[in-house]
Amino acid sequence: MPKSLPSHASVVVIGGGIMGCSTLYHLAKMGVSDAILLERNKLTSGTTWHSAAQVRALRHSRNLTRMIQYSVDLYSQLEQETGQNVGWIQKGSLSIATTPDRLTHVKRQESLAHAYGIDATSISAAEAKERWPLMNTDDVLGAVWSPDDGRVSPSDVCAALIKGAKNRGAKVFENTGVTGILTKNGKITGVETSQGTVMCDAVAICAGLWSREVAGMAKAEAPLQPCEHFYLLTKPIDGITGNMPTLSDHDSHLYIRDDSGGLLVGCFEPMGKAIDPAILDESFEFGLLAEDWDHFEPMMMNALHRLPALETAEVKMLLNGPESFTPDGTFMLGEASETKGLFYGCGMNSVGMASGGGAGMNLAHCIVHGHTAYDLGETDAKRFAPVYNRIEHLMARAPEILGTHYEIAYPGRQLKTARDLKRLPLDAQYRKAGAVMTQTYGWERPQYFGASNPPAMTFGKPDWFENVKLEVMAAHEKAAIFDASPFGKIEVQGPDAEAFLQYVCAGNMGKAPGSVMYTAILNSRGTYESDITAQRIAPDHYRLFVGTNAIKRDLSWFTRHSEGYDVTLTDSTEDYAVLGLMGPEAARIARDVGAPELNDIGYFKVGPAHIAGKHVRAMRMSYVGEAGWEITCKTENVGVIYDALTKAGATPAGLFAQTSMRVEKGFCAMGHELDSDTTPIEARMDGMCKKTIDYIGKTAVDQRREEGAKARVITLVLEDETAVPLGHEPIYLNGDIIGHTTTTAFGYRIGKPIALGYVHIDQPDGIAVELDIAREMYKGRLMVGPAFDPKGERMRKAQR
């Protein structure tokens, strides 16, 4: 190892586990030859060394799956590149089902695998036993076999990555603890260590269990929490010869594989055990926690049922090693919102070895190029509200997240811990109306109303089907209220407000005060960073409305691009409430509540009024395809306004109704149809980015327009009214996969299940296709444009 720290390094990687080693390797491979890695103790001494090291490719999204496929490719070729054996064993994985819903779940996984190009096949219980003879299959209903999955030796993989990094000039410093992170004007400038100070341009926090603490040195937030994680190791037993596939018995919360002729039996129990961070101090090197047989006993009973040979096996140890978990079960990757040049690669949620190769590549790509190699918005650390970083919330949430690893992925499933962190101003009224809540960015938001019991978890027709139908029909036939208060709000003020927004927005932001604009926010590649609605209140004042969980991300984006413009940006999210009043009776209700002037506001215009004597600003637009306004008011006034609207005949509607109506209208949404892999050309929103003046992404969009789209968004209407698509299902044409769904719903106004999605064929309008839902094929037809009111006449109709 080098003896002394350099005075400067382009990038400092903090942490010598799989994420740190992979990030350093890929930085060096991308030409950052002066990058260094700092490890407080020894490489892999945190959690990496005791990882069970399963590498299973399939994940819930295309790009997370793609990322692990990269890991598989990387691990399989590292030995050839470096001469270091990584212990890559590719014996496949077997996922069994012992309940009907689990069988549906694994068949949905098989469908996803086909959509993502992964080899996966449904097999019978008898075939599963052939692959795992020691398994009791009396209660097994079926299984899915994935032959390309495998496992590695964690320490050997890290050794190979470090060797590859050093061969390209990178350096590693063990026994070098970080004591401080230096910043100036919101940018990284250096790192203080136990061995001296290194000035640098960027820092990558890959410190595993300690990443939250390290981020705090830069006054940044990295919400993660360590929990105990258990696996049992036995001495050799009869029946295990050579290597076997990984066996997943998720109904029993277990994963199982051979280990040195014996068994490794690990679990993700329904509720884990959080660890006091103070226990994991700087002396915790290659450390383990105390065995806890009482806690493990229910899992042991499940294991004895599945593997009768365990009854006579001799136990080596019950390993209890800490792992870190985030508030939503997905890791953090990318640049922090608080500090430019501060990057995260942490909170791996026990999938560090599987994800590490691809995640390290993407983190290095982000540092070098300013963005990940492909869209990984679901891992963006800016997705977490500050409230999630509180230790009491992390201690409550992380044990539940550990348990969700093996839960059945039911639609509408909700977490139970760390709830009610942020309540809407109308929370009491909504709960009185029987609202079932979901949590977004800490906010509790109504999914639907009129519930007398918690919703049952099912893959079939949901028990809230009729509740949501009533809400949709209220908006379609009378009037409904949709609460958009949690949407982020950013005030853009100053003499350069128009010039600034013309540069950062693809749409024309130069319209007169009183105008409303919907616009894409693009990056230099011409793909989506966000989409927003903006009100021009005055020549020097705009109010931007951004997604609920996008406020930190979008405010950071705008702030970093405002340099050189005389503007101020202010987060006003909690100052204002927003109610969408939608439906054919909205005009009558406006008159009844003392605001007839609302009916004079033109489409995509905004104007002032008073409802029940309270000042509001209403914009005439619709996210649900019915005529109405989104009404903004001071938060303290929304209760009076809501009471007036409901007394005049409007009824509350939730997110499920809104999604159903959005999909019927073919409106795209960030994180579903829109992401950083997609341009407005693919999203069929070319017409909204044709202004002649320059804006971020204009050159790339113009080029894509000339080249043509790689895929385009479509609407898919299914024939079978009983079909229940959930999203990400593959779309087939003549036996070939041509695309996939993104957002799905039941379209109550058209009376059919409906989806938005992308297909890779020309002229898809009217084409008959099939949709694979848990390996059952459902007939449908593609449409270009909305399935409901394609000309938009209802929402543009003059209000009277």
Side-chain angles (χ1 to χ4, degrees):
M1 296 291 174
K3 293 183 178 180
S4 59
L5 290 171
S7 60
H8 181 271
S10 295
V11 183
V12 173
V13 179
I14 302 174
I18 179 59
M19 273 304 300
C21 295
S22 179
T23 301
L24 185 73
Y25 169 84
H26 286 97
L27 283 168
K29 197 171 184 179
M30 292 177 193
V32 187
S33 58
D34 68 336
I36 66 171
L37 183 151
L38 306 178
E39 165 54 48
R40 179 167 65 184
N41 295 307
K42 299 294 183 184
L43 294 176
T44 76
S45 62
T47 62
T48 295
W49 72 274
H50 62 69
S51 169
Q54 301 177 84
V55 183
R56 301 186 63 197
L58 183 61
R59 291 297 182 267
H60 64 266
S61 73
R62 178 179 299 274
N63 280 350
L64 285 180
T65 301
R66 178 181 177 184
M67 185 189 69
I68 298 179
Q69 288 175 306
Y70 178 93
S71 294
V72 171
D73 293 340
L74 175 67
Y75 299 159
S76 63
Q77 61 85 30
L78 267 176
E79 182 175 355
Q80 182 179 355
E81 176 191 334
T82 66
Q84 168 69 52
N85 184 352
V86 300
W88 173 241
I89 299 170
Q90 193 170 30
K91 289 292 184 177
S93 67
L94 190 63
S95 296
I96 63 171
T98 62
T99 64
D101 279 359
R102 178 68 68 180
L103 188 59
T104 298
H105 174 85
V106 298
K107 286 185 175 181
R108 281 191 54 80
Q109 289 184 308
E110 183 189 356
S111 298
L112 285 178
H114 294 169
Y116 301 160
I118 293 175
D119 188 0
T121 308
S122 289
I123 62 174
S124 67
E127 291 172 300
K129 187 161 180 76
E130 288 178 6
R131 289 175 168 83
W132 249 93
L134 293 179
M135 172 176 49
N136 170 20
T137 57
D138 290 348
D139 57 347
V140 174
L141 303 179
V144 169
W145 166 244
S146 302
D148 295 334
D149 292 339
R151 60 184 191 260
V152 291
S153 168
S155 298
D156 290 335
V157 166
C158 290
L161 290 167
I162 291 298
K163 189 172 182 179
K166 287 180 177 180
N167 289 342
R168 294 174 171 88
K171 293 181 173 62
V172 174
F173 296 87
E174 295 181 303
N175 302 311
T176 305
V178 172
T179 57
I181 295 177
L182 304 177
T183 63
K184 184 177 181 180
N185 298 326
K187 298 180 180 179
I188 288 292
T189 59
V191 174
E192 295 176 325
T193 82
S194 59
Q195 306 300 321
T197 299
V198 182
M199 306 309 291
C200 62
D201 305 314
V203 168
I205 299 178
C206 304
L209 305 168
W210 300 278
S211 295
R212 180 173 178 268
E213 174 189 346
V214 175
M217 295 178 184
K219 296 181 173 57
E221 298 171 346
L224 56 82
Q225 167 65 34
C227 287
E228 299 182 12
H229 177 56
F230 299 89
Y231 61 76
L232 177 76
L233 291 169
T234 77
K235 293 183 178 180
I237 64 175
D238 292 337
I240 295 182
T241 56
N243 297 121
M244 302 170 67
T246 298
L247 174 61
S248 297
D249 180 6
H250 293 170
D251 287 322
S252 298
H253 318 287
L254 302 174
Y255 62 89
I256 301 161
R257 67 169 174 84
D258 62 275
D259 185 85
S260 301
L263 287 170
L264 183 155
V265 181
C267 68
F268 287 98
E269 64 274 28
M271 184 62 72
K273 293 176 63 181
I275 304 169
D276 182 348
I279 294 174
L280 305 174
D281 60 19
E282 61 186 21
S283 66
F284 195 84
E285 178 183 3
F286 295 108
L288 294 172
L289 303 168
E291 293 183 344
D292 188 342
W293 283 99
D294 289 340
H295 183 78
F296 188 71
E297 184 180 9
M299 302 301 103
M300 186 66 188
M301 298 306 294
N302 291 344
L304 286 166
H305 167 73
R306 187 60 55 218
L307 300 170
L310 267 180
E311 191 168 348
T312 57
E314 188 174 353
V315 173
K316 278 187 188 176
M317 68 180 301
L318 177 61
L319 185 143
N320 180 0
E323 297 276 2
S324 58
F325 296 85
T326 62
D328 65 358
T330 300
F331 57 86
M332 289 178 277
L333 191 148
E335 193 169 19
S337 63
E338 300 90 346
T339 307
K340 189 171 179 59
L342 184 70
F343 294 84
Y344 295 130
C346 55
M348 301 309 293
N349 297 272
S350 284
V351 295
M353 288 307 303
S355 304
M361 180 275 289
N362 273 284
L363 181 54
H365 196 283
C366 191
I367 295 168
V368 173
H369 299 289
H371 57 88
T372 52
Y374 34 81
D375 181 76
L376 289 173
E378 59 207 302
T379 73
D380 191 339
K382 295 184 284 290
R383 72 189 186 272
F384 291 122
V387 69
Y388 283 121
N389 199 44
R390 296 178 185 172
I391 191 63
E392 65 270 24
H393 298 149
L394 290 170
M395 290 281 284
R397 173 61 65 83
E400 183 183 12
I401 291 296
L402 180 148
T404 62
H405 264 49
Y406 288 169
E407 278 192 3
I408 295 174
Y410 289 113
R413 176 172 56 85
Q414 291 292 302
L415 296 168
K416 298 180 176 63
T417 57
R419 296 299 297 262
D420 297 325
L421 305 183
K422 297 171 72 175
R423 293 191 176 215
L424 294 173
L426 296 172
D427 182 83
Q429 292 92 322
Y430 293 153
R431 293 178 192 262
K432 186 177 179 180
V436 172
M437 298 294 194
T438 186
Q439 189 183 64
T440 310
Y441 202 67
W443 291 101
E444 296 293 333
R445 306 174 68 189
Q447 289 181 309
Y448 64 95
F449 291 87
S452 55
N453 296 298
M457 294 291 98
T458 177
F459 287 114
K461 182 178 179 180
D463 56 7
W464 42 257
F465 186 92
E466 295 298 329
N467 302 62
V468 176
K469 181 179 181 179
L470 289 173
E471 296 170 25
V472 171
M473 289 301 119
H476 181 53
E477 298 171 352
K478 297 180 180 179
I481 298 171
F482 298 86
D483 196 322
S485 300
F487 272 43
K489 306 165 196 77
I490 301 171
E491 309 295 325
V492 180
Q493 295 171 279
D496 290 345
E498 179 181 321
F500 166 65
L501 289 174
Q502 286 284 49
Y503 174 62
V504 296
C505 299
N508 179 19
M509 307 301 286
K511 297 180 180 179
S515 297
V516 173
M517 293 139 281
Y518 169 75
T519 179
I521 309 298
L522 305 178
N523 51 48
S524 61
R525 306 181 307 285
T527 61
Y528 280 86
E529 288 293 322
S530 187
D531 68 334
I532 67 168
T533 301
Q535 301 175 352
R536 190 167 193 179
I537 296 172
D540 60 352
H541 183 193
Y542 293 75
R543 180 171 295 147
L544 313 184
F545 295 80
V546 307
T548 301
N549 62 357
I551 180 62
K552 186 187 287 189
R553 180 193 69 204
D554 287 1
L555 186 57
S556 173
W557 178 266
F558 289 130
T559 299
R560 291 179 184 182
H561 287 87
S562 65
E563 189 172 338
Y565 292 95
D566 187 1
V567 293
T568 59
L569 305 174
T570 308
D571 179 0
S572 61
T573 301
E574 298 193 28
D575 296 335
Y576 297 100
V578 180
L579 299 180
L581 176 65
M582 303 291 164
E585 290 191 6
R588 187 268 304 166
I589 290 174
R591 293 191 297 272
D592 289 355
V593 298
E597 59 269 45
L598 291 182
N599 292 318
D600 296 324
I601 296 174
Y603 191 61
F604 262 68
K605 300 294 182 181
V606 61
H610 286 79
I611 296 177
K614 302 298 183 181
H615 181 270
V616 302
R617 191 177 302 276
M619 53 181 170
R620 175 94 190 282
M621 59 174 293
S622 177
Y623 197 48
V624 297
E626 302 290 347
W629 309 271
E630 291 192 3
I631 301 166
T632 303
C633 65
K634 284 287 189 179
T635 298
E636 59 265 27
N637 295 332
V638 72
V640 173
I641 292 168
Y642 177 80
D643 288 345
L645 296 176
T646 53
K647 286 177 182 176
T651 59
L655 292 171
F656 286 166
Q658 177 178 286
T659 296
S660 168
M661 300 175 84
R662 171 179 80 80
V663 175
E664 286 182 311
K665 284 299 298 174
F667 292 150
C668 298
M670 279 300 298
H672 297 277
E673 292 73 44
L674 310 178
D675 59 30
S676 64
D677 290 337
T678 305
T679 75
I681 311 302
E682 281 83 25
R684 300 186 189 276
M685 289 195 257
D686 186 13
M688 297 183 182
C689 52
K690 285 190 172 180
K691 66 184 183 185
T692 56
I693 61 176
D694 193 28
Y695 61 87
I696 298 174
K698 184 178 189 302
T699 300
V701 169
D702 291 345
Q703 182 177 343
R704 180 60 61 86
R705 186 181 293 117
E706 293 180 8
E707 295 172 350
K710 298 177 181 178
R712 287 189 186 271
V713 71
I714 48 83
T715 297
L716 168 60
V717 179
L718 295 175
E719 295 178 3
D720 188 340
E721 295 179 16
T722 68
V724 185
L726 302 180
H728 299 285
E729 293 93 352
I731 301 169
Y732 283 80
L733 175 63
N734 300 325
D736 295 323
I737 296 175
I738 60 166
H740 65 282
T741 61
T742 50
T743 311
T744 63
F746 189 88
Y748 294 93
R749 291 175 294 189
I750 65 170
K752 299 285 186 180
I754 187 171
L756 298 180
Y758 279 90
V759 294
H760 299 265
I761 58 172
D762 296 327
Q763 307 301 323
D765 200 23
I767 296 293
V769 295
E770 291 185 305
L771 190 67
D772 179 357
I773 304 176
R775 303 305 294 139
E776 288 190 33
M777 295 297 185
Y778 291 84
K779 296 183 183 301
R781 194 166 295 275
L782 301 180
M783 296 179 61
V784 174
F788 173 76
D789 189 24
K791 294 182 179 180
E793 295 171 346
R794 290 181 66 91
M795 61 186 183
R796 291 181 173 86
K797 185 177 180 181
Q799 301 284 76
R800 287 291 179 266

